[in-house]
Amino acid sequence: MQAAARCTQRSREGGDTVIAPHDLPKSVLQYVFWTRERVVLDDASVRNLYSEDEYVRAKRPRSVLCLPIVNQMKLIGALYLENNLTPHAFTSDRIAVLELLASQAAISLENANLYAGLQRSEAYLAQGQSISHTGSFGRSVFSGEVFWSEETYRVFEHDRSAKETLESVLQRIHPDDVDHVRRTIDRATRERTGYDIEYRLLRTDGSVKHLHVIVRALELSSGDLEFVGTVTDVTAAKQAEEKIRQSEMELRQILDFAPQQVAVLGPDNTRLYVNQAMLDYCGFTQEEWRSSNFGSFVHPEDRERFRNETRSKFLSGLPHETEMRSLGKDGTYRWFLYRWNPLRDEQGRLIRWYVAATDIEDRKQAEQRLQNENVALREEIDKASMFEEIVGTSRSLQTVLSLISKVAPTDSSVLVTGETGTGKELVARAIHKRSRRSSRPFVSVNCAAIPRDLIGSELFGHEKGAFTGAAQRRLGRFELAEGGTIFLDEIGELPAETQIALLRVLQEREFKRVGGAGTIRTNVRVIAATNRDLEAAIAAGRFRSDLYYRLNVFPIEMPSLRERREDIPLLVEYFIDRFARKAGKNFQTVNKKSLALLESYPWPGNIRELQNVIERSVVVCETENFSVDGRWLSQQPPAAEPNSGLGLFRKLPSQEKAIIEAALRESGGQVYGPGGAASKLGMPRSTLESKIRSLKINKNRFKATNYLENS
């Protein structure tokens, strides 16, 4: 009987079979793999369930037997037998014998697989130990037997032919480490525990090898104690660590010589290192610095600012810097510029903070000295040039400056009165600059310079088409000054309808554009100025009394230049310096005769006239001795009446007093109004009252009742 056998078995890795069922058509093997049941074809030539089996069709056997090879419910493979001579070749007795043989074959195949797997595992383990320079070993405490892997022999550089013992190993350990190793092994044996230790192995050439040994204790059921462990050659790692340590030591030595204070922090602000400069300044050791509270060394005035400036940047890992004062060991604070720079690894993770502190105390002191000098210089300038261009030290001007200082921080409306050219706009600007509105606009409007029919549009704006020529919407001065200050010069020239609109702004804080329907809220401080007698204008019906009282919340009267003659030399120097610099000239002295002439002149145009005279003189003067052509001051207006205001300014003080008293006598002591002395003399009420005070005239004795009683 000729027979052919076809056998498949599972792969060595325990995976799919070499011939997997899903790779076969409907076949005998496929059925056996799926069902783990035998297949017997007594006559394969007769059509059957497996007639489509390509292998059977190709071989054309007469009888077929296929048995599963199973061990402990695990399919190992299949035994395939065929007979090409006769049908019914596989009797029940033969099948029983073959099934027994298949069972034995299953055991043999499984053992072969296990042995092959064990050989592979040992090969992998040996190769892994060789690559990592890690050996394994075991030692029985009771018998003293020692078992080493191949790599362990190489690590210990021990002759494999010689019998390895614990003592043979201890004899080669570095003399400085052997006692420590003995004590560790004895304690582990006594306490029946493992250990983790590093020590040096002394080579025959005198060099050392660094070993890392990890041991675990195993207590056997027999009572024996065994130690199982690993030994790793860490010489390369130790050498690398030593190089790093040497590099760090050199770096620290360099940092210790640096004048800057340097610290190294961990990503969580853990203190790692500080150089000698910072230790010397604080008076700490490294350990004391690591445990100290950094906030306690920051000046109390700088702590909150330091936290606010650095918190978000520190948490986000951004480089940043700040200036603050740090406490030294001598108990004093010094200014330092602190810079924080992050260090990140290749993945972008923050691993270090480097902090450098530079002493800037000298710079800060220099800045403070400069600031103090600027303050002193400002104070010196303010003595002669207080409030920007308001120059002078006279008592009357100091009174004005005192009023400016008091009213500036408030939002009160201010009415500035005085003759033309006395500097009323300068007062308004000084009030604005010293107010809470100083960062907002200052808008100046000369009411006398704008046509009466356009003043409303100029102040409050207009809508498109509000009047002929209004091609588009236009914002007014009040809207441009929003949040700031508006200065209304020559307020006495406002027409009646504009006075009503201005009164609404002062009362209701709102206005309408010309041609507009909706109201606009406003937050503007109003400062007004005039050289007219507004009370006389009220009496004459040219100015609204309610608007006057709204504007005159805080009156300031600017004295004329005649009332502050002692300021003339200072003003002359001020204007000479200003215009000489513009003209590129340099004057060393001022002609005494010219200065005396300037001091004696009545200055009907006040400071503006003086400024024009000085500017003209700077242009024409060719020497370093500044002088003024006296003919410029002798020209007087031709229509000046002897007793008019302008004529009065050219009188001697005794003559001025007689003229004013005569006017008061005629008006019954009334200063302002249609029949008042100011109207008779042709001068503003404020100017006349200033004259009355300076000449010490008692105006009450000229009142009608007193005059009749005394006549």
Side-chain angles (χ1 to χ4, degrees):
M1 178 179 66
Q2 296 180 357
R6 183 162 56 129
C7 179
T8 63
Q9 68 181 48
R10 296 185 66 80
S11 65
R12 292 178 178 178
E13 290 77 12
D16 295 332
T17 56
V18 176
I19 302 177
H22 61 268
D23 292 331
L24 298 173
K26 189 173 182 181
S27 64
V28 174
L29 282 175
Q30 188 178 45
Y31 178 82
V32 172
F33 276 124
W34 283 356
T35 64
R36 299 187 184 183
E37 297 178 355
R38 69 187 181 191
V39 172
V40 180
L41 297 180
D42 291 329
D43 190 351
S45 62
V46 179
R47 185 167 183 78
N48 54 67
L49 291 174
Y50 308 104
S51 297
E52 300 300 323
D53 188 331
E54 293 181 0
Y55 185 84
V56 173
R57 291 172 59 185
K59 291 292 186 177
R60 296 181 180 180
R62 297 298 303 274
S63 300
V64 173
L65 172 64
C66 187
L67 298 175
I69 301 176
V70 178
N71 182 36
Q72 297 181 353
M73 304 300 294
K74 181 179 179 181
L75 181 66
I76 305 301
L79 177 64
Y80 182 88
L81 301 173
E82 61 185 28
N83 188 296
N84 296 327
L85 300 177
T86 62
H88 303 285
F90 300 106
T91 63
S92 57
D93 293 337
R94 289 177 177 175
I95 292 174
V97 173
L98 291 172
E99 284 182 338
L100 180 60
L101 292 175
S103 177
Q104 294 297 324
I107 296 173
S108 299
L109 287 172
E110 183 69 11
N111 288 339
N113 287 339
L114 290 175
Y115 181 73
L118 181 60
Q119 285 184 319
R120 288 194 301 274
S121 297
E122 290 180 351
Y124 293 157
L125 180 59
Q127 188 66 23
Q129 288 187 357
S130 176
I131 294 173
S132 63
H133 301 290
T134 301
S136 58
F137 61 87
R139 180 174 68 90
S140 172
V141 174
F142 292 162
S143 65
E145 291 182 284
V146 176
F147 307 94
W148 283 4
S149 68
E150 190 67 31
E151 185 62 23
T152 303
Y153 281 99
R154 284 194 291 270
V155 169
F156 279 109
E157 299 180 2
H158 198 78
D159 186 0
R160 190 175 180 82
S161 61
K163 182 176 179 59
E164 65 276 3
T165 63
L166 177 59
E167 287 300 323
S168 64
V169 174
L170 292 175
Q171 289 175 1
R172 296 187 53 210
I173 295 178
H174 194 283
D176 294 341
D177 298 340
V178 65
D179 289 340
H180 175 58
V181 174
R182 284 185 181 275
R183 289 194 301 271
T184 300
I185 296 175
D186 291 343
R187 183 174 60 254
T189 304
R190 185 172 59 255
E191 299 176 359
R192 306 174 78 87
T193 59
Y195 55 89
D196 187 329
I197 190 174
E198 289 187 3
Y199 56 85
R200 291 166 293 176
L201 192 70
L202 194 60
R203 288 169 164 166
T204 56
D205 60 358
S207 62
V208 296
K209 177 184 285 190
H210 293 267
L211 303 182
H212 182 199
V213 178
I214 302 176
V215 174
R216 296 292 179 265
L218 297 178
E219 295 189 21
L220 304 181
S221 57
S222 61
D224 191 2
L225 177 64
E226 291 188 354
F227 286 109
V228 178
T230 61
V231 55
T232 305
D233 183 355
V234 293
T235 304
K238 285 295 183 180
Q239 290 174 346
E241 288 178 4
E242 181 62 22
K243 289 182 179 180
I244 293 174
R245 191 181 67 82
Q246 290 291 341
S247 298
E248 289 182 347
M249 184 177 298
E250 292 176 2
L251 177 60
R252 292 185 179 186
Q253 288 176 348
I254 294 172
L255 291 178
D256 285 342
F257 283 109
Q260 282 186 321
Q261 298 182 14
V262 180
V264 182
L265 309 177
D268 57 351
N269 208 21
T270 304
R271 301 183 189 186
L272 303 177
Y273 168 75
V274 66
N275 72 340
Q276 194 61 40
M278 186 172 287
L279 294 177
D280 291 341
Y281 178 76
C282 298
F284 282 161
T285 63
Q286 286 280 355
E287 292 71 22
E288 290 171 340
W289 173 78
R290 290 190 181 96
S291 60
S292 63
N293 179 14
F294 179 74
S296 62
F297 295 94
V298 179
H299 195 284
E301 296 177 3
D302 301 337
R303 289 173 190 168
E304 186 64 26
R305 176 176 55 82
F306 166 69
R307 284 193 291 266
N308 294 338
E309 289 180 356
T310 61
R311 182 183 296 113
S312 60
K313 293 180 180 178
F314 189 88
L315 293 175
S316 60
L318 296 175
H320 54 282
E321 63 180 41
T322 188
E323 294 180 356
M324 61 184 178
R325 287 163 286 184
S326 295
L327 181 64
K329 62 183 178 181
D330 59 355
T332 61
Y333 288 94
R334 293 182 67 87
W335 278 100
F336 286 88
L337 172 63
Y338 283 87
R339 289 189 175 95
W340 280 264
N341 287 303
L343 176 65
R344 300 180 181 276
D345 60 15
E346 295 179 353
Q347 287 73 38
R349 293 174 301 208
L350 181 66
I351 57 175
R352 288 288 188 275
W353 277 103
Y354 292 104
V355 185
T358 304
D359 190 325
I360 57 172
E361 179 67 22
D362 293 342
R363 191 197 81 189
K364 281 292 187 178
Q365 289 184 358
E367 291 176 356
Q368 186 62 43
R369 285 194 300 270
L370 180 60
Q371 183 178 355
N372 295 339
E373 291 171 1
N374 288 339
V375 171
L377 181 59
R378 172 58 61 186
E379 292 175 352
E380 189 66 25
I381 293 174
D382 285 349
K383 292 178 182 179
S385 178
M386 295 189 66
F387 295 81
E388 289 75 30
E389 297 181 359
I390 305 177
V391 180
T393 58
S394 63
R395 180 175 298 178
S396 58
L397 185 61
Q398 294 301 312
T399 301
V400 172
L401 299 181
S402 176
L403 294 174
I404 292 174
S405 298
K406 292 176 180 177
V407 75
T410 72
D411 277 336
S412 300
S413 298
V414 179
L415 179 62
V416 185
T417 58
E419 297 177 13
T420 299
T422 53
K424 295 185 287 296
E425 183 171 347
L426 294 181
V427 171
R429 290 185 180 274
I431 292 173
H432 172 73
K433 288 184 179 180
R434 281 155 181 77
S435 71
R436 293 187 295 269
R437 300 171 180 266
S438 59
S439 61
R440 306 298 295 171
F442 176 89
V443 177
S444 178
V445 183
N446 188 333
C447 301
I450 303 172
R452 297 175 65 87
D453 55 346
L454 294 179
I455 187 66
S457 172
E458 186 70 21
L459 291 178
F460 308 115
H462 63 254
E463 297 290 348
K464 180 179 179 181
F467 51 83
T468 303
Q472 59 185 5
R473 172 187 287 179
R474 184 175 184 273
L475 301 182
R477 298 297 183 91
F478 269 92
E479 287 182 85
L480 296 177
E482 179 63 25
T485 303
I486 190 168
F487 173 59
L488 303 176
D489 197 9
E490 304 293 351
I491 192 69
E493 304 301 324
L494 283 180
E497 60 273 14
T498 308
Q499 292 181 32
I500 296 173
L502 179 58
L503 179 63
R504 182 180 182 185
V505 171
L506 294 172
Q507 290 179 336
E508 308 297 336
R509 296 293 177 183
E510 62 183 25
F511 62 89
K512 290 184 180 180
R513 295 194 189 101
V514 176
T519 59
I520 300 173
R521 298 291 298 174
T522 184
N523 175 26
V524 176
R525 183 183 195 174
V526 176
I527 301 177
T530 184
N531 61 356
R532 288 182 175 273
D533 187 345
L534 291 183
E535 293 183 356
I538 293 171
R542 295 191 302 271
F543 201 83
R544 296 180 63 93
S545 60
D546 49 1
L547 177 58
Y548 172 74
Y549 294 122
R550 283 286 181 181
L551 292 171
N552 198 35
V553 174
F554 195 93
I556 296 178
E557 183 179 354
M558 282 297 292
S560 65
L561 189 54
R562 296 177 305 280
E563 298 172 277
R564 40 182 291 221
R565 291 181 185 273
E566 61 267 40
D567 289 336
I568 290 177
L570 198 60
L571 286 165
V572 170
E573 290 185 10
Y574 174 77
F575 288 131
I576 289 175
D577 180 67
R578 177 202 285 186
F579 297 123
R581 278 189 281 108
K582 290 183 179 179
K585 294 185 177 182
N586 183 24
F587 297 101
Q588 299 296 326
T589 59
V590 178
N591 184 277
K592 293 183 178 180
K593 290 184 178 180
S594 295
L595 183 59
L597 180 62
L598 295 174
E599 290 178 321
S600 63
Y601 183 65
W603 299 110
N606 291 290
I607 297 175
R608 185 179 296 122
E609 183 183 4
L610 174 62
Q611 175 180 322
N612 293 339
V613 169
I614 299 299
E615 183 175 7
R616 189 191 318 172
S617 300
V618 167
V619 172
V620 300
C621 191
E622 299 296 338
T623 66
E624 292 185 349
N625 184 24
F626 178 82
S627 61
V628 175
D629 189 341
R631 291 173 298 178
W632 297 342
L633 305 180
S634 63
Q635 299 175 5
Q636 305 297 340
E641 295 294 332
N643 292 335
S644 68
L646 187 57
L648 184 63
F649 298 149
R650 295 193 297 272
K651 302 294 184 181
L652 296 174
S654 60
Q655 294 175 320
E656 289 182 351
K657 184 174 183 181
I659 293 172
I660 293 172
E661 287 180 342
L664 288 171
R665 189 178 295 111
E666 291 178 12
S667 63
Q670 183 178 346
V671 176
Y672 59 92
S679 178
K680 292 180 180 297
L681 294 171
M683 65 170 57
R685 167 198 172 184
S686 59
T687 303
L688 179 57
E689 288 188 338
S690 176
K691 280 289 184 183
I692 291 172
R693 288 194 300 271
S694 64
L695 296 171
K696 299 181 180 179
I697 297 174
N698 183 8
K699 62 183 178 181
N700 292 327
R701 69 187 184 90
F702 297 105
K703 290 185 178 180
T705 54
N706 292 338
Y707 181 74
L708 291 174
E709 291 175 356
N710 296 329
S711 62

